[in-house]
DNA sequence: CGAATCTTTGAAAGACGTCAACATTGGTGG
DNA sequence: CCACCAATGTTGACGTCTTTCAAAGATTCG
């Protein structure tokens, strides 16, 4: 299922290098990463790494989107965040030396580079630039998570949905597609599992938002029509 | 209000050293910390560091408990976690170089050591043992946070309360007081802000738990009577 | 083209928050 | 040391947000 690509292109030429954790590395250091990695093709819906298993390495997304989620005690998925091109995945549990708390699964056909654990750890601890960069990133993410916890605990579903939509726009927008609809390969259920609500509730709220001209939808395409309005609904920032 | 203590005892002799982030340091390294720190007395309810301000240094709790919380958009506190003796606070936003996402406030009279930013950062990046230790801890905490997010999103208040009670027992229990009631200086409102619910709902649920002989209460003292039962209610582990 | 999956809508029950009133407690000044 | 005030705790009633269950459309993919 996991097809190995014939060509293993250089990280230095990766168009997402500047958005990655490797953006501050010098040529030699980048080359170390390049030599350690291998790149593979994953079909939509494939799992990169499983919850409750030990990390085997880290994943760097070259093409496609990945949903990172945790399965709760009752078997329902909670999407923690969506990762996109350039993002590094699966390193946190590796560093803390425990099983994955979450799983990572492609939501569209993807191309993902893999660096085996031993190699990554070795590079990580002999490359201060990378070490510092990742350390910072992890600390930043902790702050973001406290924000999410607070929102989950205090905000009603409607506001959380508005936030998620705004977030998705950010995750999916590039310079080129600024005003195009977000084509997210997320089912309504996924979306509900991101917001933290039931699928039916999510659908009803999307309906409301459409009536209020905040968004338009066409199947799984969602177009944000009124960012300001959404932000107001979210009672955010 | 913040009284400086006359004696500045050595970290090496701190009885909580073994539970702290400094547990793996050698004598020299411990001494660096010792020389950088100063220890102060804080009265119950004092704020160690404020949300949305830049970190000035890190705090190591020598005596007392500290609630770490974030004020949401509607002004309500969300308690993220409770810190106890030996815990290090306020370093994450320092490392990620941003304003605090949370605030830290004593919930009982406390004695807290402080290490100024410049000194701590300097020690952190010239002491691989400490660096690695903290890095690991931060990554671990991220995993814990994903668990919290999932619980907040998926579990009803009743289950979350049960979890919080079990958590509090862990936070407050020492070898000596295993079966004593938890004397937590948390108001019902604080407790509600930890669980993520309204004060009235929290009180009603505590009442239920009492009826089911899961706990007994006496003012702010809460005694866990049936850990197994609580775990069952929590639908946990 | 048909099975399977996903989406949407309706109706009803339940969980939870809010408001208001009242009780209790703890801290403070006299 | 006591009395009093303000903060905290408790209870009831009520409304609303949300979930759940059921069933009917729509879409997708083999």
């Amino acid at each position: 299922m996991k097809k190995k690509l014939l060509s293993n292109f250089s990280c230095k030429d990766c168009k997402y290098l500047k958005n990655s954790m490797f953006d501050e590395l010098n040529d030699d250091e980048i080359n170390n990463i390049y030599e350690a990695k291998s790149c593979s093709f994953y079909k939509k819906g494939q799992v990169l790494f499983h919850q409750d298993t030990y990390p085997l390495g880290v994943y760097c997304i070259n093409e496609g989107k990945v949903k990172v989620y945790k399965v709760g005690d009752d078997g329902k998925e909670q999407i923690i965040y969506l990762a996109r091109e350039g993002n590094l995945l699966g390193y946190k549990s590796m560093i803390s030396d425990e099983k994955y708390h979450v799983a990572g699964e492609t939501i569209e056909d993807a191309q993902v580079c893999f660096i085996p654990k031993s190699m990554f750890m070795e590079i990580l601890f002999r490359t201060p630039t990378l070490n510092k960069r990742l350390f910072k990133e992890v600390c930043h993410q902790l702050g973001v998570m406290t924000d999410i916890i607070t929102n989950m605990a205090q905000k009603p579903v409607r506001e959380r949905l508005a936030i998620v939509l705004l977030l998705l726009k950010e995750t999916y927008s590039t310079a080129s597609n600024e005003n195009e609809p977000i084509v997210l390969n997320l089912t309504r259920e996924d979306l509900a599992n991101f917001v933290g609500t039931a699928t039916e509730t999510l659908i009803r709220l999307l309906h409301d938002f459409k009536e209020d001209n905040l968004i338009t939808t066409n199947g799984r395409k969602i177009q944000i029509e009124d960012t300001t309005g959404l932000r107001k609904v979210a009672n955010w920032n």
Side-chain angles (χ1 to χ4, degrees), chain A residues 27 47 71 84-85 117 129 134 149 207:
Chain A
D27 285 2
V47 175
V71 177
R84 66 164 175 176
E85 295 82 357
K117 171 170 173 171
T129 321
L134 254 196
I149 290 172
H207 186 83

Side-chain angles (χ1 to χ4, degrees), chain A residues 102-113:
Chain A
V102 294
E105 181 181 327
T106 57
I107 56 171
E108 41 188 78
D109 288 356
Q111 201 160 299
V112 182
C113 299

Side-chain angles (χ1 to χ4, degrees), chain A residues 212-226:
Chain A
D212 296 342
N213 299 316
L214 296 168
I215 62 171
T216 50
T217 69
N218 182 1
R220 288 184 187 167
K221 279 198 273 287
I222 295 183
Q223 164 86 289
I224 308 246
E225 300 289 354
D226 182 358

Side-chain angles (χ1 to χ4, degrees), chain A residues 20 34-35 40 42 45 52 55 61 76 86 104 106 130 141 148 170 175 182 217 228:
Chain A
S20 80
Y34 166 52
E35 281 166 3
S40 302
Y42 291 82
D52 298 322
I61 305 176
K76 213 166 85 174
T106 57
L130 179 60
Q141 281 185 28
I148 296 176
E170 260 180 57
I182 308 170
T217 69
T228 313

Side-chain angles (χ1 to χ4, degrees), chain A residues 32 35 74 86-87 91 98 100 113 118 146 160 165 168-169 180 215 219 223 228:
Chain A
N32 287 331
E35 281 166 3
D74 54 356
N87 288 169
Y91 60 91
E98 54 194 352
Y100 282 123
C113 299
S118 58
T146 62
R160 298 209 304 270
L165 289 175
L168 285 174
K169 192 185 167 80
E180 291 168 32
I215 62 171
Q223 164 86 289
T228 313

